[in-house]
């Protein structure tokens, strides 16, 4: 069966510090991978998605970037965090077919102070 | 632009009191409508996928239905463990567009 991991689970970072969040998927090959952010009390906002190694699509211009160095690894980064980057970050995967279900990881709670 | 609106924002139910959640949407080329359950501090858990108007799916006390403009999630005789936020999302291409969710609290 497939499993998706995210770490760290929680993170408190000062404004201006760098960020690296990691997501890995087990039990599947060539998945589509996604990063979402969920602000408190709000719906999920798609940040990036990837259909293959090195292929990243950005949905919202912002202070963040994403990379996919391996087939089942997806990384969310920032060079300098802003207060507005605080939120709940979720990684998801799906098989590479349109209309297929996205499955979410446990999430990373980021607080920027 | 794809839009998804969920109502109500919050719902308080007594145990056993059935109710329905609404998800209305506008999308160009619907590839699927998805329902998720999210517990506090956790990632969304997949419940259902609906692909075409008239389709229905059931799981335990939950039943999802789909029309051309909206979807309903019916909760029959809910229990306290059904308390969660229920999220609806529509897919066009590779991307999901989510609604704001409905927070459901079932009191014993």
């Amino acid at each position: 069966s497939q499993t998706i991991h995210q770490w760290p689970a929680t993170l408190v970072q000062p404004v201006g510090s760098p960020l690296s969040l990691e997501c890995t998927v087990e039990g599947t090959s060539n998945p589509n991978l996604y990063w979402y952010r969920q602000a408190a009390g709000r719906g999920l906002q798609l940040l990036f998605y990837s259909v293959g190694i090195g292929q990243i699509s950005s949905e919202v211009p912002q202070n963040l970037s994403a990379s996919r160095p391996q087939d089942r690894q997806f990384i969310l980064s920032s060079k300098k965090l802003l207060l507005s980057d605080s939120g709940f970050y979720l990684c998801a995967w799906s098989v590479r077919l349109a209309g297929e279900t996205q499955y979410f990881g446990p999430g990373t709670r980021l607080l920027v102070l | 632009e794809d839009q998804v609106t969920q109502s109500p924002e919050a719902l308080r139910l007594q145990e056993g009191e059935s109710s329905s959640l609404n998800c209305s949407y506008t999308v160009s080329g619907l590839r699927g409508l998805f329902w998720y359950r999210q517990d506090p501090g956790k990632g969304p858990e997949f419940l259902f996928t609906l692909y075409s108007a008239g389709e229905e799916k059931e799981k335990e006390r939950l039943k999802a239905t789909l029309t051309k403009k909206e979807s309903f999630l019916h909760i029959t005789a809910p229990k306290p463990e059904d308390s969660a936020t229920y999220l609806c999302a529509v897919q066009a291409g590779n991307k999901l567009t989510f609604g704001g969710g409905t927070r459901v609290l079932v009191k014993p």
Side-chain angles (χ1 to χ4, degrees), chain A residues 31-107:
Chain A
N32 285 345
L33 296 172
Y34 309 84
W35 278 112
Y36 289 86
R37 177 168 58 203
Q38 187 174 35
R42 300 180 65 179
L44 279 71
Q45 179 187 37
L46 179 64
L47 302 175
F48 301 94
Y49 72 92
S50 171
V51 298
I53 295 174
Q55 301 180 61
I56 309 295
S57 296
S58 174
E59 290 299 305
V60 181
Q62 59 211 327
N63 187 40
L64 302 169
S65 62
S67 62
R68 185 170 176 174
Q70 301 180 37
D71 181 47
R72 290 170 288 179
Q73 184 185 31
F74 205 22
I75 296 172
L76 184 68
S77 303
S78 174
K79 293 182 179 179
K80 290 186 178 181
L81 284 169
L82 306 172
L83 288 174
S84 57
D85 292 324
S86 294
F88 191 46
Y89 287 84
L90 290 156
C91 181
W93 74 274
S94 70
V95 298
R96 201 170 292 175
L97 292 172
E100 288 297 323
T101 301
Q102 293 184 20
Y103 299 93
F104 286 83

Side-chain angles (χ1 to χ4, degrees), chain A residues 34 38 59 98-99 101-102, chain B residues 31 36 38 49 51 91 95:
Chain A
Y34 309 84
Q38 187 174 35
E59 290 299 305
T101 301
Q102 293 184 20
Chain B
R31 292 181 180 263
Y36 291 85
Q38 186 175 26
T49 306
Y51 292 105
Q91 184 169 31
K95 297 178 284 186

Side-chain angles (χ1 to χ4, degrees), chain B residues 10-31:
Chain B
L11 190 60
R12 296 168 66 95
L13 301 171
Q14 287 296 130
E15 183 172 3
E17 178 188 1
S18 301
S19 188
S20 294
L21 285 56
N22 177 265
C23 171
S24 61
Y25 64 90
T26 55
V27 62
S28 299
L30 179 70
R31 292 181 180 263

